[in-house]
């Protein structure tokens, strides 16, 4: 009897011990709470970075904690544009460039393109030329500005000045290039790439692309099968004849690959420019803050620098900086970045110096009735092109597709090594309620369903009946540019007299005042638009990056 009791006690103890160990095991980072299986075991199986703390701030960026704010609340509307209505919006946390992209930063991009795709080779000439800023933007019919035309981009005296003459399309391409170069560096530091491979192994037919690395790692030099130091995902590993692991690739699960650099949305840019993070004044929170800095004036009220201008802007007719030596903003054209105090987020020149491209397609009305979270107009959804054998279609040097813009410039649609993109189709949209087509730029404002004349609108009439075109909501000029069989450019300028607007799907929003603008445009809520394939001497840009994980850094640290 005692033996039976003893056995029962031992059994209960064993069960308790087993239960305790199971509980401890289930709470372990490397034990699955779904199955109890071991994660990241040497024997193989599911591999995941269970020690990830938070997203590392990428080069040049500062953290912007998201929140709610009143978008579009301008203090003055002397232009009577009626393109702003105050709306309450919420923005997710993100990162933004501390400064505008400078000439030296852009020159690094041009140098890389010139080295990898030499303009001396006919097929690559358009790649480099398509990325060059338009230095002729400095010219004026009645002004002497040739010193900027010849020197502003390349002279070291302007190295830290914001780059201008860059179109919206060129700014997007710079952001894509920057994403790949930063991830290249991340992989090298983590031991997935050989040291200095990014400068010694890159060629025109073997370049690094983040998307290509993720989807087809063996198709880029970053996914070769050389022996690495083993800090990688073992499920991708192969073993050579000597028993060494080869072909070890990083995946998204490692947390090493950074989200992409991109242009900020208009909502993100305006939220970041206001810099509300340290302000708790009720009136300011409700949208009565006029500039990125505190107060209602453009001059500093601090004792040591009282009277100094807080931004670089045009102060009056014929006055681009003030009287020399006194009351001067320190610049006549642009100024070096960080020449003025940052706002409360630590961002420089969110008013003045140069206006900045944002990613949105321009529409006069912000449709906050449909969406008030991460608002953005301009979604065009694409997917990877797939070959017949099921692999992704990677652009080769002989397959580059070039687009001719409305001004005659030629740009490469995709660079060699990148994955070719195609519009999403019914496979992705069927029975979905959140999107139903590839291109949603015109959604609820611009498509025929948005027009008051929708009932009488007939697609077959377009191009035949001029009056049919006027029934469109945005009836803008339609200039065309083509090339003949000899490659000569044929330009056809739209001279139709029945056009009613300059707004179309190829105009993008730009924000913030510039060295060429009056104080009125320094208000972060002001908005203007410009063709996406054209450039000026007063529009630059800065990049942004989405944040993954927790909303705030403090919560991420507490959690871990």
């Amino acid at each position: 009897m005692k033996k039976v009791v003893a056995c029962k006690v031992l059994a209960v103890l064993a069960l308790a011990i087993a239960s305790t160990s199971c509980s401890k095991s289930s709470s372990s980072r490397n034990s699955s709470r779904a199955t109890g299986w071991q994660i990241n075991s040497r024997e193989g199986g599911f591999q995941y970075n269970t020690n990830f703390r938070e997203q590392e701030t990428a080069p040049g960026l500062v953290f912007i904690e998201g929140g709610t704010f009143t978008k579009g609340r301008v203090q003055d509307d002397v232009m009577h544009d009626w393109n702003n209505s105050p709306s309450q919006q919420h923005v997710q946390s993100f990162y933004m460039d501390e400064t505008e992209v400078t000439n030296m930063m852009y020159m690094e991009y041009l140098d890389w393109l010139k080295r990898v795709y030499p303009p001396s080779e006919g097929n690559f000439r358009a790649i480099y030329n398509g990325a060059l800023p338009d230095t002729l933007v400095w010219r004026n019919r009645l002004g002497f500005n040739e010193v900027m035309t010849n020197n502003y981009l390349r002279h070291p005296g302007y190295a830290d000045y914001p780059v201008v003459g860059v179109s919206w399309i060129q700014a997007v391409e710079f952001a894509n290039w920057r994403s790949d170069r930063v991830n290249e560096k991340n992989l090298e530091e983590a031991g997935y790439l050989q040291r200095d491979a990014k400068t010694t192994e890159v060629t025109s037919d073997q370049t690094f692309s983040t998307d290509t690395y993720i989807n087809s790692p063996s198709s880029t030099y970053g996914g070769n099968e050389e022996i690495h130091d083993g800090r990688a995902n073992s499920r991708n590993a192969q073993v050579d004849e000597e028993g060494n692991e080869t072909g070890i690739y990083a995946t998204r699960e490692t947390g090493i690959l950074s989200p992409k650099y991109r242009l900020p949305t208009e909502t993100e840019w305006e939220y970041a420019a206001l810099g509300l993070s340290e302000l708790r004044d009720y009136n300011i929170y409700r949208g009565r803050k006029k500039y990125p800095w505190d107060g209602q004036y453009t001059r500093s009220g601090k004792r040591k620098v009282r009277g100094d201008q807080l931004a670089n802007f045009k102060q009056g007719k014929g006055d681009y900086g003030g009287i020399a030596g006194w009351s001067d903003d320190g610049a006549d054209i642009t100024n070096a970045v960080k020449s003025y105090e940052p706002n409360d987020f630590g961002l420089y020149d969110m008013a003045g110096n140069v206006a900045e491209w944002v990613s949105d397609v321009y529409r006069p009305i912000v449709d906050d009735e449909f969406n008030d979270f991460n608002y953005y107009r301009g979604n065009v959804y694409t997917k990877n092109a797939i070959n017949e054998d099921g692999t992704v279609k990677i652009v080769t040097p002989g397959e580059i597709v070039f687009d001719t813009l409305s001004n005659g410039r030629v740009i490469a649609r995709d660079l060699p090594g990148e994955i070719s993109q195609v519009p999403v189709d019914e496979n992705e949209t069927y029975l979905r309620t959140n999107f139903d087509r590839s291109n949603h730029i015109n959604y609820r404002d611009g498509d025929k369903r948005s027009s008051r004349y929708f009932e009488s609108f007939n697609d077959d009439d377009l191009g035949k009946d001029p009056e049919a075109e006027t029934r469109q909501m945005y009836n803008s000029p339609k200039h065309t540019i083509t090339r003949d069989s000899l490659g000569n450019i044929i330009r056809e300028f739209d001279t139709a007299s029945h056009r009613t607007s300059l707004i179309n799907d190829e105009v993008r929003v730009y924000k913030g005042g510039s060295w060429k603008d009056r104080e009125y445009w320094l208000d972060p809520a002001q908005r203007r638009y410009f063709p996406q394939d054209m450039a000026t001497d007063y529009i630059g840009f800065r990049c942004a990056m989405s944040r993954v994980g927790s909303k705030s850094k403090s919560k991420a640290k507490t959690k871990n």
Side-chain angles (χ1 to χ4, degrees):
M1 183 70 177
K2 290 183 180 180
K3 288 183 178 180
V4 174
V5 172
C7 287
K8 287 184 177 180
V9 171
L10 289 174
V12 170
L13 286 174
L15 181 63
I17 293 172
S19 176
T20 302
S21 64
C22 181
S23 175
K24 288 183 179 180
S25 176
S26 65
S27 64
S28 171
R29 286 181 179 273
N30 287 321
S31 179
S32 169
R33 286 190 290 177
T35 63
W37 289 23
Q38 286 298 303
I39 300 172
N40 301 322
S41 64
R42 292 187 176 182
E43 292 74 19
F46 183 52
Q47 303 292 315
Y48 203 83
N49 182 0
T50 56
N51 294 316
F52 183 82
R53 289 186 174 274
E54 70 163 339
Q55 181 177 344
E56 183 178 346
T57 304
L61 304 179
V62 295
F63 174 67
I64 310 293
E65 183 172 343
T68 185
F69 80 114
T70 304
K71 172 183 168 65
R73 188 188 291 272
V74 295
Q75 300 300 305
D76 305 295
D77 191 18
V78 299
M79 303 293 290
H80 298 291
D81 285 336
W82 298 107
N83 67 350
N84 250 342
S85 298
S87 64
Q88 198 73 12
Q89 297 283 338
H90 192 97
V91 183
Q92 274 189 302
S93 297
F94 63 103
Y95 297 84
M96 182 177 273
D97 266 334
E98 184 181 27
T99 70
E100 294 132 344
V101 172
T102 64
N103 286 317
M104 186 162 60
M105 293 167 67
Y106 201 87
M107 283 294 296
E108 185 180 5
Y109 168 48
L110 294 177
D111 177 74
W112 187 91
L113 289 177
K114 194 171 187 177
R115 179 161 43 86
V116 178
Y117 308 109
S120 57
E121 298 184 23
N123 198 37
F124 295 152
R125 187 175 299 114
I127 293 179
Y128 180 75
N129 292 341
L132 285 172
D134 182 4
T135 58
L136 300 184
V137 295
W138 288 106
R139 284 183 172 168
N140 187 296
R141 295 179 184 86
L142 293 178
F144 180 71
N145 300 326
E146 289 304 289
V147 64
M148 275 86 78
T149 299
N150 296 326
N151 294 285
Y152 184 81
L153 174 65
R154 300 178 183 276
H155 196 283
Y158 293 117
D160 291 326
Y161 284 52
V163 66
V164 296
V166 174
S167 70
W168 180 92
I169 292 176
Q170 290 174 315
V172 169
E173 289 303 314
F174 172 88
N176 292 336
W177 168 85
R178 187 178 178 185
S179 302
D180 291 337
R181 303 293 76 75
V182 169
N183 276 326
E184 221 172 356
K185 179 175 179 291
N186 291 343
L187 290 171
E188 181 183 286
E189 292 179 346
Y192 289 88
L193 297 185
Q194 280 191 332
R195 185 68 59 182
D196 298 326
K198 61 183 182 294
T199 56
T200 59
E201 295 190 22
V202 61
T203 61
S204 60
D205 58 348
Q206 194 79 319
T207 59
F208 177 86
S209 165
T210 302
D211 288 338
T212 303
Y213 182 85
I214 292 172
N215 290 277
S216 181
S218 60
S219 300
T220 174
Y221 82 83
N224 56 25
E225 296 191 357
E226 294 179 357
I227 299 171
H228 300 281
D229 62 4
R231 284 179 279 169
N233 190 344
S234 61
R235 69 176 174 180
N236 290 325
Q238 302 172 7
V239 179
D240 63 12
E241 295 179 355
E242 298 178 1
N244 297 314
E245 286 189 338
T246 65
I248 305 174
Y249 313 130
T251 61
R252 288 198 189 278
E253 291 89 338
T254 63
I256 293 172
L257 295 170
S258 171
K260 290 185 177 182
Y261 285 86
R262 55 177 174 79
L263 290 182
T265 67
E266 180 183 1
T267 306
E268 287 175 334
W269 193 98
E270 188 173 326
Y271 175 81
L274 283 170
L276 300 173
S277 62
E278 301 300 324
L279 300 174
R280 296 294 180 266
D281 182 270
Y282 178 79
N283 288 330
I284 293 176
Y285 173 75
R286 294 302 299 173
R288 301 183 187 279
K289 191 177 186 215
K290 188 173 184 179
Y291 300 115
W293 52 85
D294 299 345
Q296 296 291 309
Y297 306 100
T298 63
R299 296 185 183 276
S300 175
K302 297 179 181 178
R303 179 176 298 179
K304 290 185 178 181
V305 290
R306 181 168 294 166
D308 285 0
Q309 289 287 6
L310 297 170
N312 174 19
F313 64 99
K314 183 179 180 180
Q315 299 181 34
K317 185 174 179 60
D319 183 358
Y320 288 82
I323 300 173
W326 181 84
S327 188
D328 196 351
D329 65 17
D332 38 28
I333 53 167
T334 56
N335 203 352
V337 297
K338 295 190 176 183
S339 293
Y340 309 93
E341 290 295 315
N343 71 0
D344 288 331
F345 279 131
L347 301 172
Y348 293 85
D349 295 320
M350 295 300 286
N353 218 13
V354 292
E356 299 176 18
W357 289 114
V358 295
S359 57
D360 295 57
V361 171
Y362 176 80
R363 289 292 185 266
I365 297 174
V366 172
D367 188 1
D368 64 308
E369 292 184 359
F370 184 80
N371 182 42
D372 57 5
F373 180 76
N374 283 349
Y375 186 90
Y376 167 66
R377 180 177 289 279
N379 281 315
V380 178
Y381 304 114
T382 62
K383 60 181 179 179
N384 296 336
I386 304 298
N387 295 314
E388 292 182 359
D389 61 358
T391 59
V392 291
K393 180 176 177 57
I394 300 172
V395 179
T396 64
E399 297 175 330
I400 306 172
V401 177
F402 294 97
D403 293 325
T404 302
L405 307 181
S406 64
N407 55 7
R409 296 195 70 168
V410 177
I411 62 167
R413 185 178 303 174
D414 298 297
L415 293 179
E418 297 178 346
I419 300 176
S420 179
Q421 297 293 300
V422 295
V424 298
D425 54 28
E426 194 177 66
N427 292 326
E428 289 76 34
T429 62
Y430 184 65
L431 293 183
R432 285 191 180 273
T433 58
N434 53 332
F435 73 101
D436 57 7
R437 68 189 70 177
S438 173
N439 188 329
H440 274 296
I441 288 176
N442 280 322
Y443 184 65
R444 287 169 61 101
D445 193 7
D447 57 359
K448 64 181 182 180
R449 294 181 182 274
S450 310
S451 173
R452 61 183 296 192
Y453 300 105
F454 169 59
E455 296 300 330
S456 61
F457 198 105
N458 189 340
D459 288 333
D460 295 335
D461 291 336
L462 295 180
K464 301 177 183 178
D465 177 14
E467 294 302 320
E469 296 189 31
T470 64
R471 291 197 290 270
Q472 297 180 76
M473 179 170 285
Y474 297 109
N475 178 33
S476 60
K478 295 174 174 57
H479 312 301
T480 59
I481 185 164
T482 56
R483 292 179 179 271
D484 60 20
S485 58
L486 299 177
N488 299 315
I489 295 178
I490 302 175
R491 298 180 176 89
E492 295 184 17
F493 188 81
D494 188 347
T495 59
S497 60
H498 58 269
R499 300 302 182 192
T500 59
S501 173
L502 292 175
I503 300 172
N504 56 45
D505 294 347
E506 282 76 48
V507 295
R508 300 284 173 166
V509 179
Y510 69 94
K511 301 281 283 185
S514 73
W515 65 273
K516 216 171 186 177
D517 292 314
R518 299 292 292 270
E519 174 191 347
Y520 171 80
W521 295 108
L522 300 184
D523 186 335
Q526 298 290 358
R527 56 201 303 262
R528 292 174 281 179
Y529 64 92
F530 202 74
Q532 66 181 20
D533 57 0
M534 299 179 68
T536 74
D537 60 353
Y538 59 88
I539 301 180
F541 70 101
R542 72 180 74 210
C543 296
M545 179 183 289
S546 299
R547 176 173 170 85
V548 296
S550 65
K551 174 186 176 182
S552 66
K553 289 196 169 187
S554 59
K555 291 181 180 178
K557 292 178 181 178
T558 302
K559 179 180 178 181
N560 291 283

